[in-house]
Amino acid sequence: MGSVDMGIWTKRNEQPLFQVEGLTKYYGNRIGCVDVSFDLFPGEVLGIVGESGSGKSTLLSCLAGHLRPDLGSVIYDGRDVLAMAETERRKLSRTEWAYVHQNPRDGLRMGVSAGGNVGERLMAIGARHYGTIRDTATDWLGRVEIAADRIDDRPSAFSGGMQQRLQIARNLVTGPRLVFMDEPTGGLDVSVQARLLDLLRGLVRDLGLSVIIVTHDLAVVRLLADRLMVMKDGRVVEQGLTDQVLDDPQHAYSQLLVSSVLQV
Ligand SMILES: Nc1ncnc2c1ncn2[C@@H]1O[C@H](COP(=O)(O)OP(=O)(O)OP(=O)(O)O)[C@@H](O)[C@H]1O
Ligand SMILES: [Mg+2]
């Protein structure tokens, strides 16, 4: 462990923000995910990779409370998420958590202006002053590189990359501590992906976010994730520091995943 990154080391001296133990979800007889456990520390980014159908989205949905697991526990900041009343969990989702969908259409209100999409989240946490809401929305559009003169346009008039950036602004404007992302760069072309990744990396660092990010793309985790979890057939087959897993994968499936990318 001589090469442990000092940034991660510091983060790991604190209490975990999110503790997951034995999380299991079946769809009838079919495995969704089985016996998943990990700790996430404040400011840490956890990447989840694995082939299609390996249970990544199922796991993320269970973690974010969109899907009820069959077994296991999820503790956020010392609070038992699965035992919470639905109203309490929804409040968490509005305030301390955020969820970035793969398809921006699932995370945006397509009939509402860009400014409205961002402002609506502020209103949901109690903001009332129109001028302040509009100023904050303008500021956030700028942070995700959307020009201020597009504030009254609807997302349907935006490109896929712009929609995704708008979804990110809408999610981060409330200052969440924990952000779930399911393939945030999927479906975008490569140059757009690269810029979005840069932007995400800057925001994660500046805001000190804790992030759980699901992706097919090892370049995404290489750039963003401190730690990496590799899933296959619903199970975690390997987890560890990203550089360690990518540079020296131990499990045969992780080796395959890494080598297949190198050959591209
Ligand atoms: N609503 C559902 N009903 C029944 N089975 C489901 C449902 N959702 C997922 N599954 C099954 O659970 C398993 C895990 O699927 P999941 O969507 O979590 O995989 P994934 O890793 O996110 O895949 P992808 O990379 O394609 O998004 C698969 O076998 C899938 O068929
Ligand atoms: Mg998925």
Side-chain angles (χ1 to χ4, degrees):
M1 295 286 278
S3 64
V4 169
D5 181 275
M6 287 311 289
I8 296 167
W9 199 239
T10 316
K11 291 166 194 170
R12 291 236 144 192
N13 282 337
E14 301 170 48
Q15 285 295 310
L17 182 65
F18 204 55
Q19 294 167 278
V20 176
E21 194 66 50
L23 203 79
T24 299
K25 168 76 187 172
Y26 280 86
Y27 300 100
N29 291 329
R30 183 176 299 139
I31 291 176
C33 62
V34 181
D35 198 21
V36 177
S37 303
F38 65 88
D39 287 342
L40 184 76
F41 285 74
E44 239 184 1
V45 179
L46 172 71
I48 303 176
V49 296
E51 64 197 354
S52 185
S54 58
K56 306 181 298 294
S57 295
T58 301
L59 172 61
L60 203 68
S61 300
C62 288
L63 297 177
H66 300 165
L67 203 60
R68 182 119 199 128
D70 300 321
L71 283 173
S73 68
V74 179
I75 309 291
Y76 169 77
D77 204 15
R79 294 147 73 185
D80 184 341
V81 176
L82 299 177
M84 264 177 205
E86 182 60 13
T87 48
E88 198 184 345
R89 193 196 58 75
R90 278 176 191 244
K91 185 163 175 230
L92 256 189
S93 296
R94 269 200 318 274
T95 55
E96 298 188 31
W97 291 5
Y99 195 103
V100 176
H101 294 265
Q102 171 170 0
N103 186 343
R105 288 172 172 272
D106 296 332
L108 289 173
R109 291 227 287 145
M110 299 304 284
V112 173
S113 70
N117 263 283
V118 179
E120 188 175 71
R121 285 299 172 90
L122 290 168
M123 290 167 71
I125 59 166
R128 288 290 170 266
H129 187 265
Y130 178 78
T132 314
I133 293 171
R134 194 166 168 98
D135 287 349
T136 309
T138 309
D139 175 48
W140 265 94
L141 292 181
R143 292 172 84 156
V144 298
E145 299 168 6
I146 294 175
D149 65 0
R150 305 299 298 268
I151 191 166
D152 294 319
D153 289 359
R154 292 184 180 185
S156 48
F158 287 177
S159 70
M162 286 172 78
Q163 288 178 359
Q164 197 54 298
R165 281 181 274 132
L166 179 62
Q167 190 193 185
I168 288 164
R170 173 175 159 94
N171 269 285
L172 297 188
V173 68
T174 50
R177 297 172 70 193
L178 175 60
V179 184
F180 302 97
M181 299 187 190
D182 195 352
E183 300 270 11
T185 58
L188 300 173
D189 72 45
V190 175
S191 63
V192 177
Q193 272 185 20
R195 284 195 59 194
L196 183 67
L197 264 182
D198 257 2
L199 180 79
L200 271 178
R201 185 158 74 156
L203 289 170
V204 166
R205 206 172 19 206
D206 294 350
L207 304 173
L209 298 172
S210 303
V211 179
I212 302 177
I213 179 169
V214 162
T215 178
H216 277 95
D217 189 343
L218 293 190
V220 171
V221 291
R222 176 78 86 179
L223 206 66
L224 283 182
D226 301 307
R227 303 184 71 80
L228 186 58
M229 203 154 90
V230 182
M231 293 186 73
K232 182 169 170 46
D233 301 332
R235 293 172 197 274
V236 177
V237 294
E238 184 162 353
Q239 59 177 317
L241 294 174
T242 301
D243 291 345
Q244 277 175 9
V245 176
L246 293 183
D247 295 340
D248 185 21
Q250 299 297 309
H251 189 277
Y253 177 69
S254 318
Q255 291 168 355
L256 188 70
L257 201 70
V258 171
S259 67
S260 62
V261 168
L262 290 178
Q263 281 159 22
V264 169

